[in-house]
Amino acid sequence: MTIADSGNSMMENESLCLPCTPEDERRIVKEETQKAELNLKEGNLFYVVSNRWFSKWQNYVGEETGESQFKEISIDTEDSPLTKARARPGPIDNTDLLANEGGRDGSDLQLSRTLLEGSDYVLVPQGVWDKLHGWYKGGPALPRKMISLGEQGQMSVEVYPLALKLVDSRDKSETLIHISKKASLRNLYEQVSSLKGVDPKKVIIVDLFDEGKETTLPKLPDSNQTLEESNLQMDQRILLEVHTNEIIRPKLGMDSTGNELALVSMEPQRSSFTIAGGPSLSNGYGPHYGSSLYQGSSLGSVSTDMEDVRETVRTAPRGDRGLAGLQNLGNTCFMNSALQCLVHTPPLVDYFLQDYTEEINKQNPLGMHGELAIAFGELLRKLWSSGKSAVPPRAFKGKLARFAPQFSGYNQHDSQELLAFLLDGLHEDLNRVKQKPYFETKDSDDRPDEEVANEFWSYHKARNDSIVVDVCQGQYKSTLVCPVCHKISITFDPFMYLSLPLPSTATRSMTVTVFYGDGSSLPMPFTVNVIKHGCCKDLYQALGTACCVGSDETLILAEAYDYQIYRYFDSNDSLHSIKDDECIVAYRLSRKQAEFPKLEICHRFLENTNPGERKRFLTPLFTYLEGAKNGLDIEAAVNRVLAPLKRKAFSSSSRSVGIKVNGSASEGIEESTSECNTEVGNSSDDKDLKETHSGELSLNLCLTDDRGVGCKPISKDTVIKSAKIVKVILDWTEKERDLYDASYLKDLPVVHKSGVMVKKTKQESISLFSCLDAFLKEEPLGPDDMWYCPGCKEHQQATKKLDLWKLPEIIVFHLKRFSYSRFLKNKLDTFVNFPIHNLDLSKYVKSKDPSGGSSVYELYAISNHYGGLGGGHYSAYAKLVEEDRWYHFDDSHVTPVSEGDIRTSAAYLLFYQRVKTKPDESMGESSKVNDDF
């Protein structure tokens, strides 16, 4: 055989005169990739390739594409990748990535804005593209350059260049142009001039960045500033003006999201005062952009205009304060959601509406030179003084991209990740500590918890002192216990938010067929119930209990697909990776047998209608090889595992405990599974095995490679190379059909077969307190997170217990709806029932210090996530405390919402503020019942 089981593959390969085998292609691509990784620099070309096509190529060359390695509970062994389709892929096809068809010559091809790297497309170096395109042709080619982003110069491929809407003031025509964000303004002027056929010296480009606001971009030759530094954003409008004797600027309509570029010939007027305080800070334009914000009077302007800012906010219509939306700049709903929650946090509102310039820390190497704090404070003031008009957060997005390049593009991101970065960045920018002292952490050494906690907090405050620490940081107690010497280590660490797991109460019914790897019994189906959002470890345990697996036995779980083993499951794999229509099998072995090399056996038969063609059928069998050296050893192992299927070994009555041909289990099966008595073999099998061995092999066996490709006949003298797994194919003849009952290997039941009359399950619901309990429960550390025990002087898998010690004024709960495994990303839409009023955390707080404040909290904001991982959307609910009313902030749109409608299964981040109580009422307040919960 040549390639796969495709009858046309050989002819196709010959007609194309392929220079390489699949193994050679894989090796060449790997070498080109490594070469590119060693020479990463700005300007390198990468190509966008459809993941749909690239996955087919990976399958063809035998590269791992997401299947689990061969593992079982206690022993890690290797497995070669198996694929459901090994045929050679056709020409490269990137058409599924395109948002348009480009010009007639194929130019100006643009990608769809909703693509995700690794899911929809992959990036390959130019050398890899040249090889793949040489082998497969096709396309279209989608080259992208590597650029340097942010202050740290992080290298990234610019998959989405800037798209700017150019409006010509002469005829009001609109043209979409694409240009790199790292291009200079000089490059922009040159591209626009060339496109419009005008003299660059007569051109003026005006940035229309908001309704009624505009600024002229610097002209030639003083235009080396990059578009990234100029804060130009995706889909922005610019206006083109050409110097003539008389220029009349047309009125240009603005859409809801914003921003066009226009070409104009006169300098637009610009107000000397902005809400944010100073022209240099308002939009990031002008000669003092970037770190030069701290030169001259830039910071002074913040202070100078502070009284005007406060007056503007104070005199704004009461009904409009804090009701401004945020324009979506291109998949920035995640940012808008987190920002609306923060700008409606009362202590932060009070702080940033005051004069905070004295607290800006420009020298902190861990900060952003104060620029992030200024950009956030500026945005907050705009939102609290601009009435109900939506604000484009362009300047803030620009600063965010510079200091956090992971958020620089226009892909969807996680609002919690943004919140974590933003709170940490604001803290470092506003840290009152200029020189951080060094402290050596001391062990608790059986000292009172109060003493150790105060010591840790004093150390923390000596190095970290900001409005964020004052308002958002609490302290928890962490207890580690060594499982060997029982050494106890107690530390008290700060936290800024609590990431709570969502414990699942929903179960899932799964049917798995268990095979006996030692050939002692017939295969048997078992139906078990497991946690719906659990992992394969839960399935291993439930299945082991159902079929009475002993302490000296183990199970190997696999998916059978297309008459072969498609993948093996690791105990940590998510159950979401197993679909209801898949056929899952488990092979039962003793732990001693599991240490030996494994033998995987597939089956073929000779097709009568097409003489000479063999087709695969039946479910693969699996056993062990003890000291296998030659073909006779392989045959003995195959005979051993086939023994239960012998017709002469079982009567018709005993056969009724097996699997029906149609795949459904009989009532007799259900009874036998509950009795944990499945052994139906007898001692005559060993004698039968010995009788089959004569001088030659009695079975037609072939060795195949790791991918199930190729077939080498096995004789008694065939030498078996040492391997952790050996794969063979058994060719069935009439002799095997008469000797064995193959119906036991046909039409196995799928994981779950939905019936017509299936009852709809009620939506799963858990409480916020259940999530807290799961977060605070004692559990062992993972094998990759070992603790160095000072008693044993070795890394140990200690047990860890968390407790809340000191609560902050603002507490943020992050509900961990997104679960990730090696091969799967999943979102949990579980409804979490959380209190709106009187969230009482007193029972979770271990500190007895009454000065810690009340433990009762009030909800004031929620960040919501709707939909799945790829095409989801974020919005926010926020409460205007002065009005005691809730509003829905959905990007630019702000609408009132009733308090009864804010509890949904989309809640992702919950923001609570401590209820202020008088000292003599604190005890009574903390004992309140959550009457709305």
Side-chain angles (χ1 to χ4, degrees), residues 237-261:
R237 299 177 76 208
I238 54 176
L239 178 68
L240 168 68
E241 292 189 353
V242 181
H243 279 290
T244 60
N245 292 332
E246 183 179 2
I247 297 177
I248 301 175
R249 180 174 302 176
K251 293 182 179 180
L252 298 173
M254 305 293 293
D255 58 23
S256 61
T257 57
N259 302 335
E260 304 179 352
L261 285 172

Side-chain angles (χ1 to χ4, degrees), residues 636-653:
V638 174
N639 276 320
R640 177 178 62 238
V641 78
L642 285 173
L645 306 181
K646 285 187 177 179
R647 296 183 187 274
K648 65 177 182 179
F650 304 95
S651 65
S652 59
S653 60

Side-chain angles (χ1 to χ4, degrees), residues 626-911:
E626 184 176 359
K629 297 179 181 179
N630 52 41
L632 284 174
D633 299 322
I634 295 292
E635 185 183 54
V638 174
N639 276 320
R640 177 178 62 238
V641 78
L642 285 173
L645 306 181
K646 285 187 177 179
R647 296 183 187 274
K648 65 177 182 179
F650 304 95
S651 65
S652 59
S653 60
S654 63
R655 189 181 304 165
S656 64
V657 300
I659 305 172
K660 287 186 178 181
V661 176
N662 62 8
S664 61
S666 64
E667 296 179 359
I669 291 177
E670 296 176 358
E671 294 175 359
S672 63
T673 57
S674 63
E675 295 172 0
C676 294
N677 182 18
T678 59
E679 298 225 1
V680 293
N682 53 54
S683 60
S684 65
D685 292 341
D686 294 333
K687 181 180 179 182
D688 293 335
L689 286 175
K690 293 177 182 179
E691 291 175 353
T692 61
H693 291 304
S694 59
E696 297 297 330
L697 297 184
S698 61
L699 298 175
N700 295 325
L701 295 169
C702 296
L703 273 175
T704 184
D705 61 19
D706 291 340
R707 296 183 292 117
V709 177
C711 191
K712 179 182 178 182
I714 300 176
S715 65
K716 67 175 183 178
D717 298 324
T718 300
V719 177
I720 305 302
K721 295 181 180 180
S722 177
K724 292 188 176 180
I725 181 168
V726 177
K727 299 184 179 182
V728 300
I729 297 176
L730 170 62
D731 285 316
W732 284 60
T733 65
E734 291 300 324
K735 180 184 70 174
E736 282 76 35
R737 290 177 180 272
D738 293 338
L739 184 59
Y740 301 107
D741 188 349
S743 64
Y744 294 105
L745 304 182
K746 289 182 180 178
D747 303 320
L748 299 188
V750 296
V751 170
H752 181 73
K753 192 171 184 179
S754 300
V756 180
M757 302 298 292
V758 177
K759 293 182 179 179
K760 291 185 178 181
T761 57
K762 187 179 180 181
Q763 184 186 29
E764 183 183 2
S765 175
I766 57 176
S767 72
L768 182 63
F769 296 111
S770 299
C771 300
L772 262 173
D773 291 335
F775 174 73
L776 298 174
K777 73 176 181 180
E778 183 178 4
E779 58 185 3
L781 297 175
D784 298 328
D785 191 25
M786 305 282 273
W787 172 59
Y788 182 79
C789 175
C792 300
K793 305 297 182 183
E794 291 182 2
H795 286 89
Q796 303 288 358
Q797 195 170 358
T799 58
K800 184 175 183 178
K801 174 71 170 71
L802 292 178
D803 293 295
L804 300 182
W805 185 263
K806 174 185 175 67
L807 297 179
E809 179 181 352
I810 299 296
I811 188 167
V812 181
F813 295 108
H814 165 222
L815 304 179
K816 297 173 69 174
R817 294 195 176 276
F818 303 116
S819 61
Y820 302 90
S821 66
R822 287 183 297 172
F823 318 123
L824 189 73
K825 298 178 181 179
N826 180 60
K827 184 196 173 187
L828 306 179
D829 288 315
T830 306
F831 176 75
V832 178
N833 196 2
F834 52 87
I836 298 175
H837 305 286
N838 302 325
L839 170 63
D840 188 358
L841 300 176
S842 56
K843 71 174 183 177
Y844 297 101
V845 181
K846 298 302 180 182
S847 174
K848 305 303 179 184
D849 185 2
S851 63
S854 169
S855 299
V856 179
Y857 287 80
E858 192 91 356
L859 184 72
Y860 71 88
I862 305 172
S863 174
N864 300 303
H865 181 271
Y866 302 91
L869 291 173
H873 177 67
Y874 288 90
S875 72
Y877 292 129
K879 181 180 181 180
L880 265 64
V881 179
E882 293 179 351
E883 298 182 18
D884 193 25
R885 290 192 62 185
W886 284 88
Y887 290 87
H888 184 208
F889 293 84
D890 188 1
D891 290 332
S892 300
H893 306 285
V894 181
T895 55
V897 63
S898 65
E899 187 178 276
D901 294 333
I902 65 173
R903 268 193 288 224
T904 70
S905 59
Y908 184 47
L909 301 175
L910 304 174
F911 292 74

Side-chain angles (χ1 to χ4, degrees), residues 510-528 539-550 553-558 560 583-590 619-622 641 644-645 657-659 669 673 678-680 744-745 748-750:
M510 302 183 73
T511 299
V512 179
T513 304
V514 177
F515 288 77
Y516 289 78
D518 60 359
S520 61
S521 294
L522 285 167
M524 297 285 293
F526 291 87
T527 300
V528 296
L539 181 56
Y540 273 116
Q541 293 174 346
L543 199 59
T545 301
C547 63
C548 300
V549 170
E553 291 181 300
T554 187
L555 293 172
I556 295 173
L557 201 64
C583 179
I584 304 300
V585 294
Y587 299 103
R588 181 173 181 170
L589 296 169
S590 70
T619 304
L621 295 172
F622 189 89
V641 78
L645 306 181
V657 300
I659 305 172
I669 291 177
T673 57
T678 59
E679 298 225 1
V680 293
Y744 294 105
L745 304 182
L748 299 188
V750 296

Side-chain angles (χ1 to χ4, degrees), residues 150-167:
E151 293 289 294
Q152 305 300 321
Q154 179 175 321
M155 305 302 289
S156 177
V157 178
E158 188 178 29
V159 176
Y160 293 97
L162 282 179
L164 302 175
K165 298 175 182 177
L166 176 66
V167 181

